[in-house]
Amino acid sequence: MSGEVQASTEEQQEMQDTVVSPEKAEEVKLKARYPHLGTRPGGSDLLRKRLQKGQKYFDSGDYNMAKAKMKNKQLPTAAAEKTEITGDHIPTPQDLPQRKQSLVASKLAF
Amino acid sequence: MGAGGGGNDVQWCFSQVKGAIDDDVAEADIISTVEFNHSGELLATGDKGGRVVIFQQETENKSQPQCRSEYNVYSTFQSHEPEFDYLKSLEIEEKINKIRWLPQKNAAQFLLSTNDKTIKLWKISERDKRPEGYNLKEEDGRYRDAATITTLRVPVFRPMDLMVEASPRRVFVNGHTYHINSISVNSDNETYLSADDLRINLWHLEITDRSFNVVDIKPANMEELTEVITAAEFHPHQCNTFVYSSSKGTIRLCDMRASALCDKHSKLFEEPEDPSNRSFFSEIISSISDVKFSHNGRYMMTRDYLSVKIWDLNMENRPVETYQVHEYLRSKLCSLYENDCIFDKFECCWNGNDSVVMTGSYNNFFRMLDRSQRRDVTLEASRESCKARQVLKPRRVCAGGKRKKDEISVDSLDFNKKILHTAWHPQENIIAVATTNNLYIFQEKVN
């Protein structure tokens, strides 16, 4: 019985909050879903995430490893030239497959 | 056609739509910037694929006034390519963040286009003549055998089909550690500024190997970072004045005559906040996504997530006008935070005589806010209203309660259909509205 009474008081409080500010009600909802959300509103975490946009790899070694996975598909042809290669071929930037570039014209231009 | 009265005694009609109809949008086709040139004759768009498309207004057919001038493709070129910064392991997107036109000085047109790191000055020129009658070459370019030449002739220029060429004249590199969000050409027509998250640089259009840093808000300790620069613009007439907006909802006006480094502002525009209304979202939704001076240079407009504010440059403590763009979203902030929509950066623009402002919203809606008549209207850019000269019908969103006929409920809005970029012809009532991958051109209804 008392549980019900308690629940309705909380509901009343929430309703009051909604009446007071829809924004605060949304904040309550968000904190309910993500209880560990930073106490500082917005703030440095978001900004730093924004400044780091584009950071895809920890270092160039990572980048090359990722590209090497693509390069593996080309191994059969490399093997044909094995008489000219001694040991493992060390990839250089020129060997890495270039990121796909826009060779197609914009559809706005039609 | 004058600059026209309000957005509301004006009736807007569909004129043209550019782009593919297919629903499956390739990332490269996402439009990222739209800009008319100073005469309004040219309209440029930039996209995520690093391409620029320029449309030209056809000269009006005076004998048929009903047939309004159309914009047709004038030039298209690849402005930026994707790059990889090996030193920082950063992928540099080719997406064109901004295009700004230079005022026309001679036959050629010039524009600045920028991605996150590099600004380029492009020259767009027309060629309608070509030399013919060389002595040593055939018309197709092959060299003639010198032994067969018995007479000499003078090469002449002959008309040819119009060819529009775009060539990069300057490349301004290595000016920015962070991502460029704005470029703005100075009224002196010699310099321009570029702004990234933490710094603003001043460049000379002729000099590519150096620039002056005029604003630096990077803290010594990055842990103390609380605010970033979101947009910047030069004053339209005063070549010493520029403004920059921040993620905290403030605008700083700087005067380059005061000092070489403008870290200290001349004016700080900030609306006081009611502390009892503060929530987790307050700062995020106060972040200014765009700032634009009025054409007359007396006001500036800022766009934050839910509103548009007009500021009088002589009054720093509050805006003179505030317009709600889509207030019904205030009770949806939780889900808009979760799907990242709360970080969408909407732009805004003025009409030619500063009486009406326009900004985009979701569901391919855009808003016309009439300052003089204190009225506003919501219109939609949709393939359903694409009949020639079809008048756009006002749209209404139902925030809650009973939905009236013709209204759309907030929960039915498509948040993937965002109008972030819009532009208004500098003199006429012609507007360019960019949806995700289509460019709509609307014009004032002519009776």
Side-chain angles (χ1 to χ4, degrees):
Chain A
M1 270 297 210
S2 61
E4 272 176 44
V5 171
Q6 228 176 2
S8 73
T9 320
E10 277 168 11
E11 274 171 41
Q12 258 180 23
Q13 186 60 47
E14 240 182 58
M15 267 175 63
Q16 257 180 14
D17 279 344
T18 318
V19 165
V20 164
S21 157
E23 235 177 271
K24 288 245 176 78
E26 290 294 297
E27 182 174 2
V28 167
K29 238 193 267 178
L30 192 69
K31 291 247 161 96
R33 285 186 212 176
Y34 308 99
H36 298 296
L37 204 53
T39 47
R40 282 169 305 172
S44 307
D45 295 332
L46 280 175
L47 291 181
R48 251 174 296 157
K49 191 172 124 174
R50 176 193 178 132
L51 293 181
Q52 277 183 340
K53 177 190 113 172
Q55 191 100 41
K56 256 191 124 170
Y57 304 95
F58 181 71
D59 60 20
S60 58
D62 254 8
Y63 172 74
N64 290 337
M65 291 289 282
K67 289 298 178 186
K69 285 193 194 124
M70 277 172 61
K71 201 172 181 266
N72 280 337
K73 293 181 193 146
Q74 294 162 36
L75 274 180
T77 42
E81 299 162 345
K82 60 179 187 263
T83 48
E84 299 175 47
I85 298 169
T86 52
D88 282 331
H89 183 55
I90 297 169
T92 62
Q94 286 76 14
D95 295 334
L96 296 173
Q98 288 300 304
R99 277 196 55 211
K100 186 179 95 67
Q101 289 170 359
S102 297
L103 300 168
V104 181
S106 165
K107 291 185 185 150
L108 295 183
F110 297 118
Chain B
M1 228 193 262
N8 299 302
D9 36 44
V10 169
Q11 283 204 297
W12 292 96
C13 307
F14 171 81
S15 175
Q16 296 169 273
V17 63
K18 310 280 184 189
I21 303 177
D22 50 61
D23 285 327
D24 202 13
V25 181
E27 263 208 48
D29 293 325
I30 295 172
I31 299 172
S32 51
T33 185
V34 182
E35 188 82 355
F36 280 101
N37 76 336
H38 293 264
S39 66
E41 185 207 355
L42 297 178
L43 175 61
T45 60
D47 65 23
K48 219 168 175 213
R51 300 162 302 190
V52 171
V53 182
I54 301 174
F55 302 93
Q56 182 187 43
Q57 193 179 27
E58 295 303 324
T59 44
E60 248 173 87
N61 193 339
K62 296 268 154 64
S63 61
Q64 284 185 293
Q66 283 297 86
C67 191
R68 256 99 37 93
S69 43
E70 288 201 332
Y71 281 83
N72 299 319
V73 180
Y74 179 67
S75 172
T76 177
F77 55 93
Q78 186 77 36
S79 172
H80 287 70
E81 303 273 13
E83 288 170 60
F84 191 81
D85 180 340
Y86 285 91
L87 191 61
K88 297 174 192 164
S89 295
L90 261 188
E91 254 181 348
I92 302 171
E93 272 192 300
E94 64 274 35
K95 171 166 79 82
I96 309 295
N97 292 335
K98 284 284 175 349
I99 288 173
R100 289 289 182 263
W101 290 93
L102 269 56
Q104 191 174 11
K105 274 201 281 200
N106 52 38
Q109 300 277 358
F110 288 86
L111 61 79
L112 285 172
S113 72
T114 187
N115 69 349
D116 282 339
K117 295 288 183 176
T118 304
I119 306 138
K120 294 187 185 182
L121 177 69
W122 287 88
K123 177 180 180 183
I124 296 109
S125 47
E126 293 184 357
R127 193 199 291 255
D128 60 359
K129 293 185 266 291
R130 66 155 180 254
E132 282 178 22
Y134 285 109
N135 289 292
L136 298 174
K137 275 199 285 193
E138 303 284 0
E139 294 308 331
D140 59 11
R142 280 177 303 143
Y143 281 97
R144 292 168 70 185
D145 180 359
T148 64
I149 300 170
T150 51
T151 57
L152 284 179
R153 56 187 176 173
V154 179
V156 291
F157 274 101
R158 293 219 188 278
M160 60 180 252
D161 287 338
L162 179 68
M163 198 165 76
V164 182
E165 301 170 313
S167 59
R169 303 303 282 179
R170 305 270 186 276
V171 181
F172 304 91
V173 286
N174 295 326
H176 290 275
T177 306
Y178 302 98
H179 299 106
I180 297 173
N181 53 56
S182 312
I183 47 174
S184 177
V185 184
N186 200 348
S187 53
D188 68 7
N189 215 359
E190 286 187 350
T191 57
Y192 73 93
L193 64 76
S194 58
D196 67 28
D197 292 313
L198 297 177
R199 299 190 177 105
I200 301 178
N201 293 334
L202 181 70
W203 302 82
H204 192 287
L205 286 165
E206 300 290 322
I207 299 168
T208 56
D209 64 354
R210 77 197 82 164
S211 71
F212 286 108
N213 175 244
V214 289
V215 173
D216 187 339
I217 64 167
K218 182 172 187 222
N221 179 2
M222 284 299 268
E223 300 278 316
E224 290 163 24
L225 180 70
T226 55
E227 125 181 84
V228 293
I229 297 168
T230 52
E233 196 182 47
F234 263 121
H235 190 278
H237 316 133
Q238 294 165 21
C239 57
N240 53 286
T241 303
F242 66 89
V243 292
Y244 69 91
S245 58
S246 84
S247 53
K248 276 183 149 171
T250 63
I251 310 101
R252 286 172 176 79
L253 184 142
C254 299
D255 185 338
M256 295 192 293
R257 296 169 302 187
S259 68
L261 189 58
C262 296
D263 278 2
K264 202 154 165 272
H265 53 263
S266 296
K267 292 193 184 183
L268 172 63
F269 297 84
E270 187 172 14
E271 184 166 27
E273 190 195 10
D274 181 359
S276 63
N277 276 340
R278 195 165 174 79
S279 76
F280 173 83
F281 304 109
S282 299
E283 193 174 303
I284 302 173
I285 63 172
S286 72
S287 176
I288 292 170
S289 49
D290 195 15
V291 64
K292 292 260 171 52
F293 277 104
S294 60
H295 290 95
N296 62 20
R298 290 175 49 204
Y299 300 95
M300 65 179 174
M301 160 167 57
T302 56
R303 174 69 154 98
D304 51 65
Y305 191 61
L306 298 178
S307 67
V308 160
K309 294 178 180 171
I310 311 286
W311 304 78
D312 184 325
L313 294 185
N314 296 315
M315 187 159 74
E316 295 166 63
N317 60 353
R318 60 177 174 80
V320 288
E321 294 154 38
T322 301
Y323 300 93
Q324 299 306 329
V325 179
H326 38 214
E327 179 67 14
Y328 46 78
L329 295 184
R330 200 181 288 270
S331 49
K332 301 287 171 196
L333 292 176
C334 179
S335 30
L336 292 168
Y337 179 87
E338 287 178 302
N339 61 19
D340 274 355
C341 283
I342 206 175
F343 301 107
D344 285 337
K345 297 182 178 56
F346 292 94
E347 291 172 7
C348 53
C349 59
W350 297 84
N351 74 341
N353 65 8
D354 300 331
S355 60
V356 185
V357 298
M358 166 170 64
T359 190
S361 178
Y362 294 104
N363 209 71
N364 283 347
F365 287 172
F366 58 99
R367 301 269 287 140
M368 309 286 258
L369 310 161
D370 190 334
R371 301 177 60 214
S372 43
Q373 299 189 29
R374 288 300 195 155
R375 283 190 295 180
D376 56 87
V377 71
T378 304
L379 301 173
E380 182 181 359
S382 142
R383 288 273 175 180
E384 322 244 314
S385 328
C386 279
K387 288 205 284 283
R389 298 190 290 279
Q390 176 174 1
V391 175
L392 296 182
K393 221 179 78 162
R395 292 274 178 254
R396 263 171 270 275
V397 177
C398 167
K402 259 180 114 58
R403 186 177 74 87
K404 300 196 192 83
K405 185 174 104 93
D406 279 356
E407 279 186 352
I408 178 169
S409 90
V410 186
D411 297 309
S412 310
L413 294 175
D414 188 341
F415 290 95
N416 290 318
K417 293 192 175 160
K418 318 169 204 249
I419 291 179
L420 303 173
H421 313 285
T422 59
W424 205 311
H425 189 289
Q427 277 117 38
E428 299 171 33
N429 274 341
I430 301 174
I431 54 177
V433 174
T435 59
T436 306
N437 64 328
N438 284 177
L439 183 72
Y440 287 77
I441 298 172
F442 301 108
Q443 294 192 14
E444 179 177 22
K445 179 166 146 76
V446 173
N447 293 314

PDB file of all heavy atoms in Angstrom, chain A residues 74-85:
ATOM      1  N   GLN A  74      46.185  -9.075 -53.241  1.00  0.00           N
ATOM      2  CA  GLN A  74      47.016  -8.922 -54.431  1.00  0.00           C
ATOM      3  C   GLN A  74      48.219  -9.843 -54.437  1.00  0.00           C
ATOM      4  O   GLN A  74      49.003  -9.842 -55.354  1.00  0.00           O
ATOM      5  CB  GLN A  74      47.515  -7.475 -54.552  1.00  0.00           C
ATOM      6  CG  GLN A  74      46.377  -6.501 -54.807  1.00  0.00           C
ATOM      7  CD  GLN A  74      46.800  -5.083 -54.492  1.00  0.00           C
ATOM      8  OE1 GLN A  74      47.950  -4.731 -54.732  1.00  0.00           O
ATOM      9  NE2 GLN A  74      45.905  -4.291 -53.938  1.00  0.00           N
ATOM     10  N   LEU A  75      48.401 -10.651 -53.407  1.00  0.00           N
ATOM     11  CA  LEU A  75      49.600 -11.471 -53.289  1.00  0.00           C
ATOM     12  C   LEU A  75      49.902 -12.377 -54.481  1.00  0.00           C
ATOM     13  O   LEU A  75      51.033 -12.470 -54.900  1.00  0.00           O
ATOM     14  CB  LEU A  75      49.556 -12.306 -51.994  1.00  0.00           C
ATOM     15  CG  LEU A  75      50.092 -11.581 -50.749  1.00  0.00           C
ATOM     16  CD1 LEU A  75      49.995 -12.487 -49.542  1.00  0.00           C
ATOM     17  CD2 LEU A  75      51.530 -11.154 -50.974  1.00  0.00           C
ATOM     18  N   PRO A  76      48.907 -13.048 -55.050  1.00  0.00           N
ATOM     19  CA  PRO A  76      49.208 -13.963 -56.185  1.00  0.00           C
ATOM     20  C   PRO A  76      50.037 -13.288 -57.263  1.00  0.00           C
ATOM     21  O   PRO A  76      50.995 -13.866 -57.751  1.00  0.00           O
ATOM     22  CB  PRO A  76      47.832 -14.364 -56.699  1.00  0.00           C
ATOM     23  CG  PRO A  76      46.944 -14.235 -55.512  1.00  0.00           C
ATOM     24  CD  PRO A  76      47.517 -13.170 -54.642  1.00  0.00           C
ATOM     25  N   THR A  77      49.762 -12.055 -57.636  1.00  0.00           N
ATOM     26  CA  THR A  77      50.544 -11.425 -58.697  1.00  0.00           C
ATOM     27  C   THR A  77      51.945 -11.077 -58.208  1.00  0.00           C
ATOM     28  O   THR A  77      52.908 -11.169 -58.947  1.00  0.00           O
ATOM     29  CB  THR A  77      49.873 -10.140 -59.205  1.00  0.00           C
ATOM     30  OG1 THR A  77      49.387  -9.427 -58.068  1.00  0.00           O
ATOM     31  CG2 THR A  77      48.718 -10.475 -60.122  1.00  0.00           C
ATOM     32  N   ALA A  78      52.058 -10.717 -56.962  1.00  0.00           N
ATOM     33  CA  ALA A  78      53.379 -10.380 -56.414  1.00  0.00           C
ATOM     34  C   ALA A  78      54.279 -11.608 -56.463  1.00  0.00           C
ATOM     35  O   ALA A  78      55.470 -11.525 -56.744  1.00  0.00           O
ATOM     36  CB  ALA A  78      53.243  -9.848 -55.000  1.00  0.00           C
ATOM     37  N   ALA A  79      53.681 -12.768 -56.215  1.00  0.00           N
ATOM     38  CA  ALA A  79      54.479 -14.007 -56.187  1.00  0.00           C
ATOM     39  C   ALA A  79      55.131 -14.292 -57.531  1.00  0.00           C
ATOM     40  O   ALA A  79      56.210 -14.871 -57.592  1.00  0.00           O
ATOM     41  CB  ALA A  79      53.591 -15.178 -55.770  1.00  0.00           C
ATOM     42  N   ALA A  80      54.466 -13.850 -58.604  1.00  0.00           N
ATOM     43  CA  ALA A  80      55.021 -14.128 -59.934  1.00  0.00           C
ATOM     44  C   ALA A  80      56.363 -13.454 -60.134  1.00  0.00           C
ATOM     45  O   ALA A  80      57.166 -13.872 -60.951  1.00  0.00           O
ATOM     46  CB  ALA A  80      54.030 -13.678 -61.004  1.00  0.00           C
ATOM     47  N   GLU A  81      56.606 -12.384 -59.366  1.00  0.00           N
ATOM     48  CA  GLU A  81      57.877 -11.677 -59.539  1.00  0.00           C
ATOM     49  C   GLU A  81      58.904 -12.076 -58.498  1.00  0.00           C
ATOM     50  O   GLU A  81      59.814 -11.326 -58.190  1.00  0.00           O
ATOM     51  CB  GLU A  81      57.628 -10.164 -59.442  1.00  0.00           C
ATOM     52  CG  GLU A  81      56.685  -9.656 -60.515  1.00  0.00           C
ATOM     53  CD  GLU A  81      56.106  -8.297 -60.177  1.00  0.00           C
ATOM     54  OE1 GLU A  81      56.202  -7.873 -58.999  1.00  0.00           O
ATOM     55  OE2 GLU A  81      55.543  -7.673 -61.070  1.00  0.00           O
ATOM     56  N   LYS A  82      58.724 -13.302 -57.964  1.00  0.00           N
ATOM     57  CA  LYS A  82      59.526 -13.621 -56.796  1.00  0.00           C
ATOM     58  C   LYS A  82      61.029 -13.665 -57.060  1.00  0.00           C
ATOM     59  O   LYS A  82      61.836 -13.548 -56.168  1.00  0.00           O
ATOM     60  CB  LYS A  82      59.058 -14.932 -56.153  1.00  0.00           C
ATOM     61  CG  LYS A  82      59.131 -16.145 -57.038  1.00  0.00           C
ATOM     62  CD  LYS A  82      58.659 -17.375 -56.253  1.00  0.00           C
ATOM     63  CE  LYS A  82      58.885 -18.615 -57.062  1.00  0.00           C
ATOM     64  NZ  LYS A  82      57.743 -19.084 -57.798  1.00  0.00           N
ATOM     65  N   THR A  83      61.384 -13.810 -58.335  1.00  0.00           N
ATOM     66  CA  THR A  83      62.814 -13.826 -58.616  1.00  0.00           C
ATOM     67  C   THR A  83      63.456 -12.474 -58.323  1.00  0.00           C
ATOM     68  O   THR A  83      64.667 -12.378 -58.119  1.00  0.00           O
ATOM     69  CB  THR A  83      63.079 -14.184 -60.088  1.00  0.00           C
ATOM     70  OG1 THR A  83      62.212 -13.371 -60.884  1.00  0.00           O
ATOM     71  CG2 THR A  83      62.768 -15.655 -60.352  1.00  0.00           C
ATOM     72  N   GLU A  84      62.669 -11.420 -58.335  1.00  0.00           N
ATOM     73  CA  GLU A  84      63.264 -10.098 -58.120  1.00  0.00           C
ATOM     74  C   GLU A  84      63.178  -9.632 -56.680  1.00  0.00           C
ATOM     75  O   GLU A  84      63.751  -8.618 -56.323  1.00  0.00           O
ATOM     76  CB  GLU A  84      62.566  -9.082 -59.026  1.00  0.00           C
ATOM     77  CG  GLU A  84      62.764  -9.459 -60.476  1.00  0.00           C
ATOM     78  CD  GLU A  84      62.012  -8.561 -61.410  1.00  0.00           C
ATOM     79  OE1 GLU A  84      62.091  -7.329 -61.225  1.00  0.00           O
ATOM     80  OE2 GLU A  84      61.343  -9.078 -62.307  1.00  0.00           O
ATOM     81  N   ILE A  85      62.434 -10.368 -55.882  1.00  0.00           N
ATOM     82  CA  ILE A  85      62.267  -9.925 -54.503  1.00  0.00           C
ATOM     83  C   ILE A  85      63.033 -10.854 -53.586  1.00  0.00           C
ATOM     84  O   ILE A  85      62.880 -12.057 -53.646  1.00  0.00           O
ATOM     85  CB  ILE A  85      60.786  -9.920 -54.102  1.00  0.00           C
ATOM     86  CG1 ILE A  85      60.022  -8.922 -54.984  1.00  0.00           C
ATOM     87  CG2 ILE A  85      60.611  -9.568 -52.641  1.00  0.00           C
ATOM     88  CD1 ILE A  85      58.545  -9.007 -54.871  1.00  0.00           C
TER      89      ILE A  85
END
